[in-house]
Amino acid sequence: MKLATLKNGSRDGHLVVVSRDNSWALDASPVALTLQQALENWASAEPRLRLLADELNAGRAVGAFSFDATLAMAPLPRAYQWCDGSAFLSHGTLMQKAFNLKAHEGAELTPLMYQGAGDDFLGGREDIALPTEAQGIDFEGEFGVVVDEVPMGCSAEQALQHIKLIVQINDVSLRALAPREMVSGFGFLQAKPSSSFAPLAITPDELADAWRGGRVQLPLQVHWNGQWFGHPHGGEMNFHFGQLIAHAALTRRLRAGTVIGSGTVSNSDRSVGSACIAERRAIEMIEQGSAQTAFMRFGDQVHMEVLGADGQSLFGGIDQRVVQAKV
Amino acid sequence: MKLATLKNGSRDGHLVVVSRDNSWALDASPVALTLQQALENWASAEPRLRLLADELNAGRAVGAFSFDATLAMAPLPRAYQWCDGSAFLSHGTLMQKAFNLKAHEGAELTPLMYQGAGDDFLGGREDIALPTEAQGIDFEGEFGVVVDEVPMGCSAEQALQHIKLIVQINDVSLRALAPREMVSGFGFLQAKPSSSFAPLAITPDELADAWRGGRVQLPLQVHWNGQWFGHPHGGEMNFHFGQLIAHAALTRRLRAGTVIGSGTVSNSDRSVGSACIAERRAIEMIEQGSAQTAFMRFGDQVHMEVLGADGQSLFGGIDQRVVQAKV
């Protein structure tokens, strides 16, 4: 099942079911007005949403209308919690090597994770408005999951059962602001402006065999200004999503609608490229002695896509420009 | 005006107006069902809520009922954003001295702030359920503000105009988990379980002269298991709330209902005591060579109170026990 949230002038938008081929949409308001509402009542909402999806996919849905990704907000336009891991260790290893940083003790045992801001997510076709290019504007291609209620102390295996939806994320980052925030010990805040989400939140069964071991076993295709940038594979996550959820839930329950991110998709095979500029720059520093690639300029465009076995876009893709904020 | 949220079985509770003497409450649902809803429509909601408050304070409100703080949730039982500063520099200075840490460069110019979890706030009379005493359970007494929509790049002075409500917070912390998270550069996550809020969110005018310079100019009275622990004064904030909001809004807008915390209230005069155990332990390390005071045990109780000029509790106080979570 594929779900999306359409703009309707409200902060939380309007929930729709989307057909498997991303062409058609159907109002989901008889089941839930918003995705947050559906997640809070998932056990009863899910089967009813699936009935709508079945009608839509069979071409029998009354009231179906053409799905327009440019009218989509983030599936959850705002979330009460957004925690982003760094589950692909090859990314951290490259950054450490390039910047001559000390390796994190126990990095293979305990995932890195930061608490992000969930109050203002962007849709996958919306411009990313930022104050200045000087802050080192970067994209970060990620996978994410949305959970229902997760109890405190949940195990990694149990946590997998709480994954209700899978999403695709551009975790926009401001690299010039990150070092001060990392050294402070308080973590990212200004360095992590609003994150963006591809239009479709999908149930794990939509991935079929590509949802395995708590990981999205597919490459993430990244293009920057129309040029290939990378296609790292989601299967190389060193911590699976169940482990990330359990990490977040060690000392508190997670309320329904919490979003958990994988961190930048990154592979040990450098020939597959990267899902963020910072990592390409790190590779350049290691291989050529200095970074060659500059960060994003206003007007730049980033495209991120995940294709299923049938060549169909699974999440509806991310295609965004960076623009100067009107302040 | 004083506002509270009463339990009604829903996640966001039921908004009520509370009388100045904390004795009476009045259903606010004709104006807004929840505090979040009121904040999203503050310009129209505020004058109508004030009319209810005026009726209530004049003893003329039809339908007024006795206000019971034990039935209150956090004023915002969940928030789309919770950012907590560390605006009292004497706290950081003590911690650095005790643990022989390097001072943060530019600590007087740029506030420290972490992104917290807003999905599950506790009420000021609710038990704090945690998995184990071994994690170093601590309270942290703070002030906080709730804002309406704050534009990106907002100045500190402009930001003061976006403060709609003032709140009192117990930012529960797990000290044994903090060092690893601070060294990681990703900041606090497991070390910051659910925060707790005193029952009443109040408009700045309720503080009269004690709201000055973007600060709550009153002492925070802290007792632990019935023993005095400290009464540090809110006026010593090195960054005022407008500066904290502007810091958070540098690279993104803040959506209505964002909560911004002051960090542990702390004064340079050590005789006033502390608002968290970690700080008392730091002082012991500095003055006696080692920490004498242990962290909280299950069954321990913490009481935090702010009294107005008339001796009346401004926020309805925090009075909580720490208990073992049922996992």
Side-chain angles (χ1 to χ4, degrees):
Chain A
M1 177 168 59
K2 296 185 167 194
L3 300 171
T5 295
L6 296 183
K7 295 177 190 182
N8 68 348
S10 76
R11 288 164 195 262
D12 297 306
H14 164 208
L15 184 64
V16 296
V17 174
V18 176
S19 62
R20 189 154 291 143
D21 66 0
N22 304 351
S23 295
W24 297 96
L26 186 62
D27 174 28
S29 64
V31 181
L33 295 176
T34 67
L35 183 52
Q36 178 66 36
Q37 205 179 85
L39 288 160
E40 289 171 15
N41 305 287
W42 193 250
S44 67
E46 189 199 7
R48 296 169 65 206
L49 291 169
R50 281 193 187 272
L51 286 179
L52 295 179
D54 291 345
E55 293 287 304
L56 190 62
N57 285 322
R60 290 192 308 260
V62 177
F65 57 96
S66 179
F67 175 68
D68 181 351
T70 65
L71 302 181
M73 306 171 82
L76 282 173
R78 50 182 181 172
Y80 289 103
Q81 181 159 228
W82 156 229
C83 295
D84 198 11
S86 185
F88 293 86
L89 292 185
S90 65
H91 175 71
T93 305
L94 285 168
M95 301 304 281
Q96 281 156 22
K97 200 164 174 181
F99 291 97
N100 203 18
L101 304 172
K102 226 174 58 182
H104 295 298
E105 216 177 313
E108 287 82 19
L109 301 173
T110 308
L112 287 173
M113 185 176 283
Y114 76 87
Q115 190 88 39
D119 65 318
D120 193 25
F121 290 147
L122 297 176
R125 298 292 185 281
E126 290 187 281
D127 287 345
I128 301 160
L130 291 169
T132 166
E133 292 172 343
Q135 287 167 344
I137 302 168
D138 200 355
F139 47 80
E140 272 196 20
E142 309 194 358
F143 295 107
V145 296
V146 186
V147 297
D148 66 355
E149 209 84 357
V150 177
M152 186 189 298
C154 185
S155 75
E157 281 310 305
Q158 290 166 336
L160 290 172
Q161 304 308 313
H162 292 286
I163 296 173
K164 300 307 167 194
L165 295 167
I166 304 173
V167 292
Q168 187 201 327
I169 305 171
N170 177 11
D171 181 42
V172 180
S173 300
L174 299 172
R175 302 300 183 185
L177 303 179
R180 187 191 61 76
E181 294 188 332
M182 294 188 80
V183 169
S184 80
F186 276 48
F188 306 118
L189 194 123
Q190 295 177 334
K192 293 287 185 182
S194 294
S195 295
S196 305
F197 287 70
L200 305 172
I202 68 176
T203 48
D205 58 285
E206 288 290 332
L207 289 172
D209 280 358
W211 177 246
R212 214 166 54 246
R215 298 164 174 88
V216 179
Q217 307 275 356
L218 288 170
L220 174 69
Q221 316 274 355
V222 181
H223 287 78
W224 178 16
N225 292 331
Q227 303 287 311
W228 173 88
F229 196 81
H231 56 269
H233 197 277
E236 214 174 295
M237 263 175 101
N238 296 74
F239 301 97
H240 65 65
F241 277 110
Q243 291 172 295
L244 296 180
I245 296 164
H247 180 82
L250 182 75
T251 59
R252 49 189 159 105
R253 61 179 172 175
L254 312 178
R255 305 307 301 268
T258 290
V259 184
I260 304 278
S262 67
T264 313
V265 181
S266 173
N267 293 170
S268 54
D269 175 4
R270 290 184 195 169
S271 74
V272 303
S274 299
C276 70
I277 302 172
E279 185 174 297
R280 176 183 277 191
R281 287 168 56 91
I283 292 171
E284 291 167 346
M285 289 165 76
I286 294 164
E287 294 184 349
Q288 304 171 51
S290 67
Q292 309 295 315
T293 306
F295 288 112
M296 298 183 91
R297 308 291 301 263
F298 292 136
D300 278 9
Q301 178 247 19
V302 63
H303 183 89
M304 298 175 174
E305 186 59 88
V306 183
L307 302 178
D310 56 358
Q312 179 64 49
S313 173
L314 278 165
F315 302 97
I318 285 174
D319 195 352
Q320 300 184 283
R321 281 188 322 144
V322 169
V323 301
Q324 181 147 32
K326 293 183 194 80
V327 176
Chain B
M1 175 168 62
K2 297 184 166 193
L3 300 171
T5 296
L6 296 184
K7 295 177 189 182
N8 67 349
S10 77
R11 288 165 195 261
D12 297 305
H14 164 210
L15 184 64
V16 295
V17 174
V18 177
S19 62
R20 189 154 290 143
D21 66 0
N22 305 351
S23 295
W24 297 95
L26 186 62
D27 173 28
S29 65
V31 181
L33 295 176
T34 66
L35 183 53
Q36 179 67 35
Q37 204 180 85
L39 287 160
E40 288 170 16
N41 305 286
W42 193 249
S44 67
E46 188 199 7
R48 296 169 65 205
L49 291 169
R50 281 193 188 273
L51 286 178
L52 295 179
D54 291 346
E55 293 286 304
L56 190 62
N57 285 321
R60 292 192 308 258
V62 178
F65 57 94
S66 180
F67 175 69
D68 180 352
T70 65
L71 301 182
M73 305 171 84
L76 282 173
R78 51 183 180 169
Y80 288 103
Q81 181 159 228
W82 156 230
C83 296
D84 198 12
S86 187
F88 292 87
L89 293 185
S90 64
H91 175 70
T93 305
L94 285 168
M95 301 303 281
Q96 282 157 21
K97 201 164 172 179
F99 291 97
N100 204 19
L101 305 172
K102 224 173 60 182
H104 296 298
E105 216 178 312
E108 287 81 19
L109 301 173
T110 309
L112 287 172
M113 184 175 284
Y114 75 89
Q115 191 89 38
D119 65 317
D120 194 25
F121 290 147
L122 297 176
R125 298 291 184 283
E126 289 186 282
D127 287 347
I128 302 160
L130 291 168
T132 166
E133 293 172 344
Q135 288 167 343
I137 303 168
D138 200 356
F139 47 81
E140 272 197 21
E142 308 194 0
F143 295 107
V145 296
V146 186
V147 297
D148 65 356
E149 208 85 356
V150 177
M152 187 190 298
C154 184
S155 74
E157 282 309 306
Q158 289 165 336
L160 290 172
Q161 304 308 313
H162 293 286
I163 297 172
K164 299 309 166 194
L165 295 167
I166 304 173
V167 292
Q168 187 201 327
I169 305 170
N170 178 10
D171 180 42
V172 179
S173 300
L174 299 172
R175 301 301 182 184
L177 303 179
R180 187 190 61 76
E181 294 188 330
M182 294 188 80
V183 169
S184 80
F186 276 47
F188 306 118
L189 194 124
Q190 295 177 334
K192 294 286 186 182
S194 294
S195 296
S196 305
F197 287 70
L200 304 172
I202 68 177
T203 48
D205 57 286
E206 287 290 332
L207 288 172
D209 280 358
W211 177 246
R212 216 165 52 245
R215 298 164 173 88
V216 179
Q217 306 276 354
L218 288 169
L220 175 69
Q221 316 274 354
V222 181
H223 288 78
W224 179 15
N225 291 332
Q227 304 286 312
W228 173 88
F229 195 80
H231 57 270
H233 197 277
E236 213 172 295
M237 262 174 104
N238 296 73
F239 300 98
H240 66 66
F241 276 111
Q243 291 172 296
L244 296 180
I245 295 164
H247 180 82
L250 183 75
T251 59
R252 49 187 159 108
R253 62 179 173 174
L254 312 178
R255 306 307 302 267
T258 291
V259 184
I260 305 278
S262 67
T264 313
V265 181
S266 173
N267 293 170
S268 55
D269 175 4
R270 290 182 195 170
S271 74
V272 303
S274 297
C276 69
I277 301 172
E279 184 174 299
R280 176 183 276 190
R281 287 168 56 92
I283 293 170
E284 290 167 348
M285 289 165 77
I286 294 164
E287 294 184 350
Q288 302 170 52
S290 67
Q292 308 296 315
T293 307
F295 288 112
M296 297 183 91
R297 307 292 301 264
F298 291 136
D300 277 9
Q301 179 247 18
V302 63
H303 184 89
M304 299 175 173
E305 187 59 87
V306 183
L307 302 178
D310 57 358
Q312 179 64 50
S313 173
L314 278 164
F315 303 95
I318 284 173
D319 195 353
Q320 298 183 284
R321 279 188 324 143
V322 170
V323 302
Q324 181 146 32
K326 293 182 194 82
V327 176

